[in-house]
């Protein structure tokens, strides 16, 4: 979809559709008011008849409204004006775009971006309008023999800003929103692809394709012999049972003129998680194709950054493999040696994410990073704790945690921080190795983070457990593209002057 920014009166737009808001209860927004005046009170007449109360989620499409130059006027309910915040703004945009995409308009001018949202500037409204619009029209059809075609898809959206002086900021915000949305789409596609297509080799190929498309991104793919030479015994123990070869993908974006320490992203790339010998129950196991969504978010974020070209240094690390049972698979009780030298007793082969991340976190040391953030669909317990709203955010640095929480709040891709106190470390004790890969059931997401923390001692580190946020279940089953918005927002705040 194409986006442009404009400033001007709604009644004067020559467009397939002009979109204006109505607040609950029957209160016209300023732009709806202008259309009402131009049409001699046609809008207020409709509202008086009770066809649009302004409830959030309501839409009403009008044709040939006199006094206006557009073919259609779409009224969008925005809820109570004093409750109009991030969520309501985004919902209003989503409802409008869904309706436009499913009806005849191939282009439209949206005035909802002129409405005041508490604590947010015009740039925020534009950026989020673009991200939400792209999300609303996203479809994953590449595996269908006959993709369901949208008859007249929405191709072009013009976002209105209150003043001409807002145009420059609006355009920059739209570009930012589009780059974030493109990164999310990339992450969604990778997540939605089945395990028989999206293998470790496939992930590596897509990374290399990204590097061809964006020459600022350099990609190196390590194969088994190189992974062995590095001593990544923990990573390799997970891939033992699989016939698909593992890959360790390294992405580098180095655009800061100054010698700035890089930010490092580490993404869990389990392209299918059966649990291994500690095999998972059959119900819903298909969802374990999403177990590479951490990796997908790293690739998606790289796409966003490559498109926006900020001056900063960014590294991406992706250990990618399958977790399968077989005669060669790692068994409960097996002891593996990590790249850090620490030994781990694998008490449950289904706690595999932390085993592959451990070696990637050690590999990250060579970059002397400013900060390392790993992203992983790590624990079912995280879904129990936070549901599908917030990602778990754990850190050994309060400063880093605060920055990531703030970025998540800005991006409407929020994290929430449970404690990572020493007291939780005790559960990982082992009688046979340095420590085990699981503790008891209680506090499972925290003890998983505790395990990772033992490999992240040399730098500021944070861990995002996205088990509940990376994909949706049920009728809308599919990858969400999260936490690309959080990561991109956090990274873009690091742009240096040179
Ligand atoms: N990939 C799963 C975590 C997961 C499960 C994410 C369900 C989303 C939905 C991870 O590898 C795993 O299996 N974790 C185990 C850890 C346990 C064995 C300590 C879990 O959460 O059950
Ligand atoms: Mn598992
Ligand atoms: Zn897993």
């Amino acid at each position: 979809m194409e986006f442009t920014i404009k400033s001007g009166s709604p009644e004067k737009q020559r467009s397939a559709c002009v979109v204006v808001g109505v607040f609950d209860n029957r209160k016209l927004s300023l732009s709806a008011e202008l259309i009402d005046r131009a049409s001699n009170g046609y809008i207020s007449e409709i509202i008086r008849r009770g066809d649009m109360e302004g409830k959030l989620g309501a839409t009403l499409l009008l044709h040939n409204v006199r006094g206006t130059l557009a073919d259609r006027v779409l009224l969008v309910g925005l809820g109570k004006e004093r409750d109009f915040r991030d969520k309501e703004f985004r919902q209003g945009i989503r409802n409008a775009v869904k309706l436009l995409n499913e009806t005849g308009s191939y282009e439209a001018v949206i005035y909802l971006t002129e409405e005041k949202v508490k604590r947010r500037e015009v740039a925020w409204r534009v950026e989020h309008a673009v991200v939400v619009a792209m999300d609303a029209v996203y479809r994953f059809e590449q595996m269908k023999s006959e993709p369901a075609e949208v008859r007249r898809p929405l191709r072009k959206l013009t976002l209105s800003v209150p003043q001409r002086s807002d145009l420059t900021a609006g355009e920059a915000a739209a570009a930012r929103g589009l780059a974030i949305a493109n990164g999310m789409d990339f992450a969604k596609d990778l997540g939605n692809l089945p395990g028989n297509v999206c293998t470790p080799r496939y992930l590596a190929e897509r990374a290399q394709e990204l590097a061809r498309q964006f020459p600022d991104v350099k990609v190196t793919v390590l194969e088994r012999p190189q992974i062995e030479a590095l001593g990544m015994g923990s990573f390799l123990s997970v891939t033992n049972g699989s016939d698909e070869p593992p890959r360790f993908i390294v992405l580098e974006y180095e655009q800061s003129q100054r010698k700035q320490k890089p930010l490092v992203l580490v993404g869990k790339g389990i392209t299918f998680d059966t649990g291994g010998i500690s095999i998972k129950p059959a119900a819903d196991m298909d969802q374990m194709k999403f177990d590479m969504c951490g990796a997908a978010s790293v690739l998606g974020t790289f796409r966003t950054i490559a498109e926006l070209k900020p001056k900063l240094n960014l590294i991406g690390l992706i250990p990618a493999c399958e977790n399968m049972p077989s005669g060669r698979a790692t068994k409960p009780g097996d002891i593996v040696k990590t790249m850090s030298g620490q030994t781990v007793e694998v008490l449950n082969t289904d706690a595999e994410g932390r085993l592959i991340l451990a070696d990637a976190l050690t590999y990250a040391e060579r970059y002397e990073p400013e900060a390392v953030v790993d992203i992983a669909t790590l624990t079912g317990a995280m879904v129990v704790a936070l549901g599908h709203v917030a990602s778990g955010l754990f850190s050994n640095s309060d400063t880093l945690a605060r920055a990531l929480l703030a970025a998540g709040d800005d991006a409407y891709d929020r994290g929430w921080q449970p404690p990572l106190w020493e007291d939780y470390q005790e559960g990982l004790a082992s009688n046979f190795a340095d420590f085990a890969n699981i503790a008891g059931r209680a506090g499972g997401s925290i003890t998983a983070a505790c395990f990772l923390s033992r490999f992240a001692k040399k730098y500021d580190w944070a861990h995002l457990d996205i088990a509940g946020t990376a994909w949706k279940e049920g009728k809308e089953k599919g990858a969400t593209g999260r936490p690309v918005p959080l990561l991109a927002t956090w990274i873009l705040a690091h742009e240096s002057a040179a």
Side-chain angles (χ1 to χ4, degrees):
M1 207 187 324
E2 194 193 312
F3 297 90
T4 52
I5 309 296
K6 196 168 183 175
S7 174
S9 299
E11 74 278 11
K12 295 192 184 124
Q13 303 304 317
R14 252 176 232 293
S15 170
C17 189
V18 165
V19 183
V20 296
V22 179
F23 290 105
D24 193 5
N25 191 334
R26 306 182 177 192
K27 177 167 185 301
L28 300 185
S29 64
L30 186 63
S31 42
E33 190 76 54
L34 290 172
I35 300 232
D36 191 47
R37 262 181 247 160
S39 63
N40 285 323
Y42 180 56
I43 306 292
S44 30
E45 187 186 319
I46 282 177
I47 283 181
R48 231 175 296 118
R49 284 191 199 138
D51 289 345
M52 168 54 81
E53 307 275 348
K55 294 247 182 312
L56 188 64
T59 49
L60 183 64
L61 188 60
L62 309 170
H63 290 82
N64 308 318
V65 176
R66 55 183 188 257
T68 71
L69 298 180
D71 301 336
R72 308 169 183 80
V73 170
L74 174 60
L75 302 182
V76 178
L78 299 179
K80 292 254 187 295
E81 191 169 15
R82 66 180 150 78
D83 297 336
F84 194 62
R85 296 195 176 82
D86 298 4
K87 186 177 192 293
E88 292 74 19
F89 172 80
R90 290 169 54 101
Q91 193 61 51
I93 298 280
R94 187 177 300 276
N95 296 338
V97 169
K98 282 224 152 126
L99 188 137
L100 290 167
N101 198 43
E102 282 153 18
T103 51
S105 310
Y106 67 91
E107 60 85 35
V109 189
I110 288 204
Y111 278 81
L112 306 184
T113 37
E114 293 204 4
E115 302 308 325
K116 285 207 170 57
V117 180
K118 276 199 190 78
R119 284 170 52 231
R120 305 301 191 189
E121 302 297 318
V122 66
W124 186 95
R125 303 193 307 253
V126 168
E127 178 184 319
H128 282 253
V130 172
V131 169
V132 171
M134 290 283 287
D135 190 62
V137 302
Y138 174 84
R139 299 270 180 295
F140 182 77
E141 306 256 87
Q142 52 180 291
M143 301 304 291
K144 305 234 187 204
S145 56
E146 279 177 57
E149 251 180 87
V150 178
R151 203 88 60 72
R152 302 193 62 181
L154 185 60
R155 290 229 179 77
K156 192 175 163 219
L157 212 49
T158 301
L159 307 173
S160 180
V161 293
Q163 287 161 352
R164 297 198 57 81
S165 59
D166 294 324
L167 288 174
T168 318
E171 271 151 22
R176 207 175 126 114
L178 188 57
I180 290 173
N182 285 336
M184 290 172 80
D185 280 6
F186 187 27
K188 284 181 215 170
D189 280 350
L190 291 171
N192 288 332
L193 282 166
N196 62 330
V197 174
C198 186
T199 60
R201 278 181 293 173
Y202 181 85
L203 276 181
E205 278 165 27
R206 294 301 300 268
Q208 282 162 329
E209 186 186 308
L210 185 73
R212 280 195 296 277
Q213 196 184 347
F214 297 96
D216 291 341
V217 177
K218 228 180 71 199
V219 167
T220 315
V221 177
L222 309 184
E223 304 193 356
R224 180 178 269 281
Q226 294 153 294
I227 300 168
E228 279 169 359
L230 284 164
M232 293 186 166
S234 183
F235 174 27
L236 287 171
S237 76
V238 176
T239 195
N240 278 348
S242 167
D243 290 336
E244 283 289 337
R247 292 289 184 264
F248 190 87
I249 308 164
V250 180
L251 301 106
E252 296 170 318
Y253 172 92
E254 293 184 301
Q255 292 300 312
S256 170
Q257 255 67 299
R258 286 194 265 128
K259 275 255 159 291
Q260 201 183 34
K261 287 177 161 189
L263 305 172
V264 180
L265 303 179
V266 178
K268 172 178 173 182
I270 296 289
T271 59
F272 196 84
D273 182 10
T274 65
I277 298 299
S278 314
I279 199 158
K280 287 182 180 295
D284 292 333
M285 206 207 275
D286 66 287
Q287 294 188 19
M288 284 300 111
K289 72 172 183 176
F290 293 118
D291 212 18
M292 35 55 69
C293 281
S297 77
V298 173
L299 289 164
T301 302
F302 262 80
R303 200 198 179 289
T304 301
I305 295 302
E307 194 173 312
L308 292 172
K309 295 170 170 288
K311 292 196 162 44
L312 50 83
N313 298 330
L314 179 66
I315 305 292
L317 304 175
I318 297 173
C321 70
E322 283 183 338
N323 186 21
M324 299 287 285
S326 95
R328 275 171 288 102
T330 297
K331 304 169 291 298
D334 285 3
I335 295 177
V336 302
K337 186 161 186 183
T338 65
M339 185 179 173
S340 72
Q342 303 176 97
T343 58
V344 175
E345 184 184 13
V346 181
L347 287 177
N348 189 318
T349 65
D350 198 10
E352 85 297 339
R354 60 196 82 182
L355 292 173
I356 71 169
L357 293 170
D359 285 341
L361 289 171
T362 301
Y363 187 90
E365 288 174 6
R366 69 186 55 204
Y367 294 101
E368 295 178 19
E370 167 79 28
V372 178
V373 178
D374 79 69
I375 309 100
T377 48
L378 204 65
T379 61
M382 201 74 255
V383 194
V384 176
L386 299 182
H388 303 288
V389 177
S391 303
L393 192 159
F394 304 81
S395 183
N396 63 11
S397 154
D398 283 338
T399 317
L400 176 59
R402 266 196 299 275
L404 286 162
L405 289 170
D409 179 58
D410 237 41
Y412 205 76
D413 183 10
R414 291 162 297 180
W416 196 83
Q417 189 183 9
L420 195 58
W421 299 323
E422 268 311 299
D423 313 55
Y424 289 103
Q425 293 279 355
E426 290 155 19
L428 293 169
S430 160
N431 286 350
F432 305 105
D434 294 351
F435 45 90
N437 75 328
I438 55 163
R441 257 170 59 84
S445 305
I446 301 178
T447 52
C450 283
F451 180 92
L452 296 176
S453 75
R454 295 171 181 230
F455 301 88
K457 293 238 163 82
K458 303 220 168 115
Y459 42 69
D460 284 358
W461 156 83
H463 156 61
L464 284 166
D465 192 333
I466 58 167
T469 52
W471 74 89
K472 289 182 190 162
E473 301 174 290
K475 210 167 128 272
E476 296 210 313
K477 195 194 276 186
T480 60
R482 290 179 68 184
V484 169
L486 183 164
L487 294 169
T489 303
W490 173 67
I491 292 163
L492 289 169
H494 288 78
E495 180 159 24
S496 64

